[in-house]
Amino acid sequence: MQQYFYSKRAQINDYIVLNDEQAHHVSHVLRMRENDVVRIVDKENTMFFAHLLFEGKKVIAHLDQKIEDHTRNAVRITLLQGMIKKEKWDYVLQKSAELGVDCIVPFTSSRTVVKAKEERMDKKLLRWNKILLEACEQCKRSTLVDLKEPCLLKDAARYQSELNIIAYEDADATSEKLHRLLAKYPKISSVTIAIGSEGGFSKEEVSMLMEMGYHRVSLGARILRAETAALAAIHGTSFYYDMAGDKQ
């Protein structure tokens, strides 16, 4: 069932007009008909079933039933992600949204190959937000991802959570395994995960983040690519806290 986000507050029995892009998708891509059912999520993240009505080129959704939301992770997850090459970056955006990340903060650092160019950033942010919107609609989550403008790694302190993690490919035997670290913080509500770009983090950058309060962790015995590390850390974190919540 197709899902669309609505930018205003809504309630049962409201008739809302889909925007031009959504209407085109309904009429010309999905070729839906009168009384077909879609899901609508309003600005307060309330989910509804809605029947479609057509008035000329307008597509109207009649909200007739609320849906209980089971799509949120047990903790709020912020991904602090070093910028990587286009196709891999798009992949991280899409899959992070599917895994329930709440906020994504792109950053550049000493080993980042891709640099944030201000004159192109507005267009890039529009495209990235579209990727995130489509991923959120596809996976039927009730919230959109909050995508921040790219920053420098030294600004990471602005995006800290109750627990802050840095995945480090050169972690030694004394480094915490991810699940062991999470077990020490069973009752938190937010986690920030820092993942390097293709070149990873320098030792100086790791030290800087640890001085900010980040915990260095290992994601396993094998070296993971940046996009793989991001998704492994997100999934490991959300799965741990979701399971912990189920046991309470």
Side-chain angles (χ1 to χ4, degrees):
M1 184 179 297
Q2 184 62 39
Q3 176 171 300
Y4 298 105
F5 286 88
Y6 179 57
S7 60
K8 299 178 182 179
R9 183 178 181 180
Q11 58 186 4
I12 292 290
N13 286 325
D14 278 357
Y15 290 83
I16 66 170
V17 179
L18 302 189
N19 65 38
D20 291 345
E21 186 173 348
Q22 293 167 342
H24 174 81
H25 191 254
V26 164
S27 301
H28 301 290
V29 178
L30 299 180
R31 298 186 181 277
M32 300 183 81
R33 299 181 179 181
E34 192 98 355
N35 288 322
D36 280 349
V37 179
V38 296
R39 293 161 58 114
I40 300 293
V41 183
D42 75 358
K43 67 174 295 184
E44 296 190 351
N45 311 123
T46 305
M47 307 173 75
F48 302 88
F49 286 127
H51 285 81
L52 294 178
L53 305 170
F54 293 82
E55 293 184 1
K57 293 184 178 180
K58 286 185 179 181
V59 179
I60 300 169
H62 177 214
L63 310 183
D64 51 17
Q65 182 182 341
K66 281 188 179 181
I67 308 171
E68 190 172 351
D69 184 9
H70 299 289
T71 66
R72 300 193 193 193
N73 288 331
V75 295
R76 174 181 171 82
I77 299 177
T78 296
L79 174 64
L80 190 67
Q81 174 67 54
M83 293 180 65
I84 54 180
K85 294 178 181 178
K86 180 179 177 181
E87 294 80 7
K88 295 178 180 180
W89 178 257
D90 293 353
Y91 182 81
V92 167
L93 293 177
Q94 182 186 71
K95 301 309 174 187
S96 295
E98 291 179 25
L99 289 171
V101 158
D102 295 276
C103 178
I104 297 177
V105 185
F107 71 83
T108 56
S109 60
S110 63
R111 296 183 179 178
T112 305
V113 176
V114 177
K115 301 297 182 183
K117 296 181 179 179
E118 291 184 7
E119 68 273 14
R120 299 179 183 176
M121 192 46 59
D122 287 347
K123 290 183 178 179
K124 285 186 177 181
L125 287 170
L126 284 173
R127 191 175 71 82
W128 294 348
N129 273 305
K130 186 174 181 180
I131 291 171
L132 291 169
L133 171 63
E134 291 174 352
C136 291
E137 290 177 341
Q138 181 275 322
C139 72
K140 308 295 190 292
R141 58 182 282 173
S142 66
T143 57
L144 292 169
V145 179
D146 181 13
L147 176 66
K148 303 297 186 182
E149 292 190 10
C151 67
L152 298 176
L153 182 58
K154 66 181 180 66
D155 298 320
R158 289 159 41 190
Y159 301 103
Q160 288 183 245
S161 298
E162 291 179 70
L163 174 61
N164 304 285
I165 296 167
I166 172 174
Y168 185 40
E169 71 274 13
D170 290 332
D172 57 30
T174 63
S175 296
E176 290 269 24
K177 299 291 187 182
L178 177 62
H179 68 280
R180 291 178 183 171
L181 176 64
L182 299 178
K184 295 179 179 180
Y185 297 86
K187 296 183 179 180
I188 60 172
S189 60
S190 61
V191 180
T192 293
I193 301 169
I195 304 290
S197 56
E198 290 97 341
F201 294 105
S202 69
K203 291 182 178 179
E204 293 77 15
E205 288 166 342
V206 173
S207 297
M208 177 185 70
L209 288 172
M210 291 179 71
E211 288 176 3
M212 292 181 189
Y214 281 76
H215 299 263
R216 186 177 66 174
V217 300
S218 168
L219 298 179
R222 294 169 296 280
I223 302 298
L224 305 180
R225 295 179 184 270
E227 65 274 22
T228 310
L231 302 182
I234 294 165
H235 177 67
T237 300
S238 63
F239 182 79
Y240 177 85
Y241 285 110
D242 286 346
M243 290 296 292
D246 289 343
K247 292 177 181 178
Q248 292 178 1

